[in-house]
Amino acid sequence: MNLPPLLLIIPACAYLSSGLLYTWRLISRRGRRAATVGLASGSIGALLHGVFLLLQFTENPPAICATVSGAASLIAFLTAAAFLAVERPFRLEAIGSAVMPLCFGATLYAALNFTAPAVPDTLRSAWFFIHVPSALLAYVAFAFAFAAATTYLGEGRLLRSKRLAAVVGVMPSLDQLESTMYRTTTFGFLLLSIGMATGALWAQDVWGTYWSWEPKQTASLVTWLVFAGYLHHRLVRGSRGRNGAWLIVVGFVCVILTFLVVGGLEHDLHRFL
Amino acid sequence: MRLLAGGVNHRSAPVEVRERLALRPPQQIAALRDVIRLPQVAEALTLSTCNRLELYVVESPCSGTLLLDQLVTQITGVPLEELSRYLYVYEDRAAAQHLCEVASGADSMVIGECEIMGQVKEAAELARTAGTLGTVLTRLAELALQAGKRARTETGIDEGCASVASVALSLARQICGDLKRTVVLLVGAGETAELVLQRLLEGGTKQVLIANRTLERATELAKMYGGTAIALHDIYEIMTEADVVISSTGAPHPVIHAEPMRTVVRARGGRPLFMIDLAVPRDVEPATGNWENVFLYNIDSLQQIVHEALREREGQLPRVREICADQAEKFWAWAASLELVPTMLELRARAEALRQQELEHALKQMGHLTVKQQKHLHLLTKRLVQAIIEEPLTRLRAKACEGDGLTYLNVIRELFGLDRSPAPFPPPSPESNDEGDQP
C-alpha cells in the first residue's frame, strides 16, 4: 500500500480551520465557543495526521523524517499535538491563532512537496536517533516560543492602545507569555545544541570532519546564535519584554529559512534535512 | 390570583426620596408583618437596596382590590401625594418580568452589576423570616434568580469592567500576571487611588509602598494598608522595583518626569511597569508612556474603557429582556397550573349542585315516577352536564400548558361566576338526594 501524500491535505485543512477559529476567538468578543470548536477541529486533524504518520512509519520507517517534507509533516504533527494538549491546562488558547496556522503551513508544504525518501547508507547510524529527534523537537519548541512572542507583542500593542476589552479574558497575562517564551526557548536551545553537537560528531564519523560550513550547518549556527543572544539577554542581563520577543521572532525566521531554503537546496552532504 | 409589584428606583426618584424610603432589614420584617395582616394580602416581599425600594404582593382571592401605592405609603410613612409622582406599579406578568429584570441587573444603575443577585436572595430570606413568603413568591424569586444567572451566562451583560478600580485590577492582572508577586507604589493618595489600591489588595500584593508630599500622611496610609512609607524624592529609585504605580497627588505640575524614567526603564530590564495616573492635572508626563514596556493609563483612558464596557452591556439589554420575558412566562404558566385544579373542581361542583337542584325540583313536579324512570332522569342530567362542561375544561387544560392558561382561567371564573361568594347555590345535601329517590 502506498499512501498518497495528498491525503495530508485533510489534516492541513483541519489545522487551518482550527487556526481560523482560534483567531475568531481573539477578534470576536462572543467567540468563546469558537475556541472549543477550534480545539476539536485541531484534535481531529492531529488524530488523522497521527494515523497517517503511523501508517507511513509501518510502511517505510525512514520516510517519516528523512526528507524535508517528511520532517515538516512530523514537526507539524508534534507541534499541533503538543499545543492541543497544553492549551486548556495552561490557558494558552490565545497562541493557537499563531500555532495552528504554522502547523497548517508545514503540513500543506509536506503534502505538496512530497519527495520519496532516498536514504543513503551513511545515514543508517545510531546518531540518527539522537540527532534527528532533538533537532525536530527543538523546532517544535521554537514554534511555541514564536507563537508566544507574537501574542506577547500583539497584546502589548493592544494594551498600549487602551483596548482592554480585546485582551481581558482572551489572552494570558504578559507575564505568563513572557515565561512561556523563556521556557520554550531554553528547552529548544538545549535540544538544538544537542542536535548540532551530535551532528558534528556524526559528520566526523561519516564525512571525516566535524564542521564543513555547508549551508545547513551555517544556517543552524546562525539560528543558534540568535537564540543564544536572547538567552544571554534574559539570563545575564535580566532583560525581558519587547526586545526579547523580537529576537525570538527573528530566531524563528532563521529556523524557517534553515529548514526550508537550505534544506531544499541541492547540496551533496545535507540534502535530506 | 393577582401579582402586584411597585416601588421606586434610581430612575424614578431622586436620592432624597430614595433615602427616606430605604428600609433596614428589621424594618422590612416589621413592614412585611404589617402588610400580611391585611385580608387582601396572601404573600409579600420587599426589596430594599440603595437604588430601590420595591414591594411584591400576591393578592388573596375573593377579597376586593388592593392598592399598592397605599401599601407603600403604609410601610414607609411617606405621604401618598408625594410618593405617587415617583412610584411605578406593575401587575401580573409584567410584575414577574420586572423582578427578573431587577435580578439580572438590567434595571441597575450600573448595568449588569452582580450584587443585586445576592440582594434578591436576601430579600427572599427576609420575607421567609417574616413568614410572608408563600409558594407563589418563592417560585417567583427562584425564577428571577434563574433569569439573573441566565442573563449572565447567555449574554454579555456582566462583561467588561464597570468601574475605574476594576479596570485597574484587570490591567494589573493582564500586565503583571500573578498579583501576589507585585510591588505596588502609591504616590499621593486621592480617593480614587485608595479605591484602586483596595481593589488591588483584594487580588493580593507582595508589598505596598506609599509616597506622599507629607511623610505623616504617608505613614498614616501605610499603617492602614500594611505598607511602607517612603520619601517622595525616592520614587524613581523605588520604581525600578515596583510593578504597579498609582499616582494621584494634588500637585499642579507633573511629579514623575519622562527623562529620569529612562534610567528606571533601563534598570528594570524590560519588566513591564503599569502606571495609573489618576490625578488632574496629570502627575505623570505623557511621554513616559512611550518608553518600552511602560504601560501608562490616565484617568481619561480608564474612564473611556469603563464607558465602552457599559455601552457594550447596554447593547445586551434586548437579549436580557427576552430572557426575562421567557422566565416571566414560565412563572405565569406555573401560576396558571396552580389555579387550574381548584377552578376545575369548583366548576364541577357548581355544575353538580345545579344538576341536583334542578333534578330534585323536576322530580317533585312530576309526581310519581318508577325507579327506572328516575334512574333515567338521573343519567340524562348527568350526561348533559358532562357534555357541556368537559369540553371547556379539556381546552382549559391545554391552554394552561401553552402558557395563557391564566387569562382563560379568569374568563371561565368570570363567566361561570365562580368568584362570587358565598356561592349562590347551596351545596347539595344528602337529604335532598334521598328525597329525590323516594317514590
Side-chain angles (χ1 to χ4, degrees), chain B residues 156-297:
Chain B
I157 194 166
D158 62 340
E159 266 174 28
C161 303
S163 72
V164 166
S166 62
V167 170
L169 180 67
S170 287
L171 279 169
R173 285 223 171 95
Q174 210 65 44
I175 293 168
C176 311
D178 186 5
L179 292 184
K180 288 196 181 67
R181 282 176 298 166
T182 57
V183 176
V184 178
L185 169 64
L186 195 68
V187 184
E191 200 182 319
T192 321
E194 279 192 60
L195 281 178
V196 170
L197 180 63
Q198 280 163 11
R199 201 64 201 270
L200 287 180
L201 287 172
E202 278 170 34
T205 48
K206 193 171 118 193
Q207 198 183 0
V208 178
L209 300 164
I210 296 163
N212 200 50
R213 197 168 44 83
T214 62
L215 202 62
E216 276 170 18
R217 175 81 176 126
T219 321
E220 187 188 317
L221 283 168
K223 215 172 270 170
M224 233 164 97
Y225 295 110
T228 316
I230 58 159
L232 196 57
H233 52 78
D234 284 342
I235 52 171
Y236 290 112
E237 205 177 305
I238 293 292
M239 265 192 277
T240 55
E241 297 304 320
D243 303 287
V244 181
V245 178
I246 310 164
S247 186
S248 67
T249 70
H253 305 295
V255 176
I256 297 168
H257 295 270
E259 208 32 54
M261 284 301 285
R262 181 201 295 275
T263 15
V264 172
V265 168
R266 198 168 293 157
R268 295 178 59 82
R271 270 183 306 126
L273 176 63
F274 175 32
M275 302 183 78
I276 311 166
D277 185 358
L278 298 169
V280 179
R282 285 175 291 182
D283 274 349
V284 185
E285 238 176 35
T288 310
N290 298 337
W291 292 120
E292 207 191 291
N293 302 313
V294 171
F295 297 88
L296 171 64
Y297 287 74

Side-chain angles (χ1 to χ4, degrees), chain B residues 2 4 39-41 59-67 419 421:
Chain B
R2 216 155 66 101
L4 286 171
Q40 299 99 311
V41 177
E59 207 181 58
S60 46
C62 328
S63 49
T65 2
L66 194 63
L67 290 171
D419 282 334
S421 56

Side-chain angles (χ1 to χ4, degrees), chain B residues 41-347:
Chain B
V41 177
E43 298 179 31
L45 171 85
T46 49
L47 178 63
S48 177
T49 71
C50 37
N51 287 328
R52 71 183 67 245
L53 172 78
E54 284 177 351
L55 177 65
Y56 292 82
V57 169
V58 177
E59 207 181 58
S60 46
C62 328
S63 49
T65 2
L66 194 63
L67 290 171
L68 200 95
D69 40 1
Q70 279 173 3
L71 273 185
V72 177
T73 301
Q74 187 189 330
I75 64 172
T76 57
V78 177
L80 191 60
E81 341 30 293
E82 193 185 341
L83 197 65
S84 54
R85 261 193 297 163
Y86 306 114
L87 197 75
Y88 48 82
V89 175
Y90 297 104
E91 221 175 287
D92 293 344
R93 205 181 305 215
Q97 178 158 358
H98 181 69
L99 185 60
C100 292
E101 279 175 19
V102 168
S104 60
D107 200 49
S108 299
M109 194 182 248
V110 176
I111 294 173
E113 51 100 7
C114 47
E115 278 107 278
I116 190 66
M117 289 275 277
Q119 288 163 339
V120 170
K121 231 178 263 173
E122 274 163 34
E125 279 311 309
L126 262 180
R128 200 187 303 278
T129 316
T132 63
L133 198 72
T135 38
V136 177
L137 286 183
T138 305
R139 182 72 183 149
L140 178 60
E142 256 172 41
L143 284 168
L145 289 171
Q146 214 179 66
K149 240 176 247 160
R150 278 185 61 193
R152 286 173 178 86
T153 50
E154 293 172 28
T155 77
I157 194 166
D158 62 340
E159 266 174 28
C161 303
S163 72
V164 166
S166 62
V167 170
L169 180 67
S170 287
L171 279 169
R173 285 223 171 95
Q174 210 65 44
I175 293 168
C176 311
D178 186 5
L179 292 184
K180 288 196 181 67
R181 282 176 298 166
T182 57
V183 176
V184 178
L185 169 64
L186 195 68
V187 184
E191 200 182 319
T192 321
E194 279 192 60
L195 281 178
V196 170
L197 180 63
Q198 280 163 11
R199 201 64 201 270
L200 287 180
L201 287 172
E202 278 170 34
T205 48
K206 193 171 118 193
Q207 198 183 0
V208 178
L209 300 164
I210 296 163
N212 200 50
R213 197 168 44 83
T214 62
L215 202 62
E216 276 170 18
R217 175 81 176 126
T219 321
E220 187 188 317
L221 283 168
K223 215 172 270 170
M224 233 164 97
Y225 295 110
T228 316
I230 58 159
L232 196 57
H233 52 78
D234 284 342
I235 52 171
Y236 290 112
E237 205 177 305
I238 293 292
M239 265 192 277
T240 55
E241 297 304 320
D243 303 287
V244 181
V245 178
I246 310 164
S247 186
S248 67
T249 70
H253 305 295
V255 176
I256 297 168
H257 295 270
E259 208 32 54
M261 284 301 285
R262 181 201 295 275
T263 15
V264 172
V265 168
R266 198 168 293 157
R268 295 178 59 82
R271 270 183 306 126
L273 176 63
F274 175 32
M275 302 183 78
I276 311 166
D277 185 358
L278 298 169
V280 179
R282 285 175 291 182
D283 274 349
V284 185
E285 238 176 35
T288 310
N290 298 337
W291 292 120
E292 207 191 291
N293 302 313
V294 171
F295 297 88
L296 171 64
Y297 287 74
N298 61 33
I299 185 77
D300 273 7
S301 42
L302 294 177
Q303 256 156 11
Q304 177 68 25
I305 292 169
V306 171
H307 285 313
E308 268 162 33
L310 287 179
R311 225 188 1 249
E312 198 75 24
R313 286 180 180 196
E314 251 164 61
Q316 302 291 324
L317 282 181
R319 288 180 59 211
V320 172
R321 296 218 171 91
E322 258 169 50
I323 290 174
C324 291
D326 186 42
Q327 291 292 106
E329 199 58 55
K330 263 189 213 161
F331 169 76
W332 210 236
W334 173 84
S337 71
L338 196 67
E339 295 217 328
L340 186 65
V341 175
T343 301
M344 287 171 74
L345 290 177
E346 223 177 307
L347 194 58

Side-chain angles (χ1 to χ4, degrees), chain A residues 119-167:
Chain A
V119 186
D121 284 340
T122 49
L123 275 184
R124 300 193 185 282
S125 149
W127 289 116
F128 182 89
F129 297 101
I130 308 171
H131 175 72
V132 175
S134 56
L136 291 185
L137 285 176
Y139 292 166
V140 171
F142 290 145
F144 266 82
F146 169 75
T150 49
T151 313
Y152 180 93
L153 292 168
E155 182 174 347
R157 185 164 283 242
L158 286 171
L159 284 173
R160 225 162 256 287
S161 56
K162 325 283 190 249
R163 288 172 58 197
L164 182 60
V167 166

Side-chain angles (χ1 to χ4, degrees), chain A residues 161-247:
Chain A
S161 56
K162 325 283 190 249
R163 288 172 58 197
L164 182 60
V167 166
V168 168
V170 178
M171 293 186 180
S173 67
L174 287 179
D175 183 68
Q176 194 195 343
L177 286 172
E178 206 277 336
S179 71
T180 306
M181 260 152 61
Y182 172 58
R183 284 179 195 164
T184 47
T185 308
T186 311
F187 183 65
F189 182 75
L190 285 176
L191 288 169
L192 183 66
S193 307
I194 293 171
M196 285 171 65
T198 50
L201 293 171
W202 192 2
Q204 167 68 12
D205 263 11
V206 290
W207 301 325
T209 165
Y210 288 110
W211 195 264
S212 49
W213 293 108
E214 53 101 25
K216 178 88 180 180
Q217 283 179 335
T218 316
S220 295
L221 184 65
V222 172
T223 310
W224 188 88
L225 283 173
V226 173
F227 284 113
Y230 166 79
L231 288 175
H232 171 81
H233 231 58
R234 178 70 165 72
L235 279 172
V236 180
R237 300 188 43 202
S239 174
R240 300 157 192 237
R242 265 196 294 187
N243 288 342
W246 278 117
L247 264 181

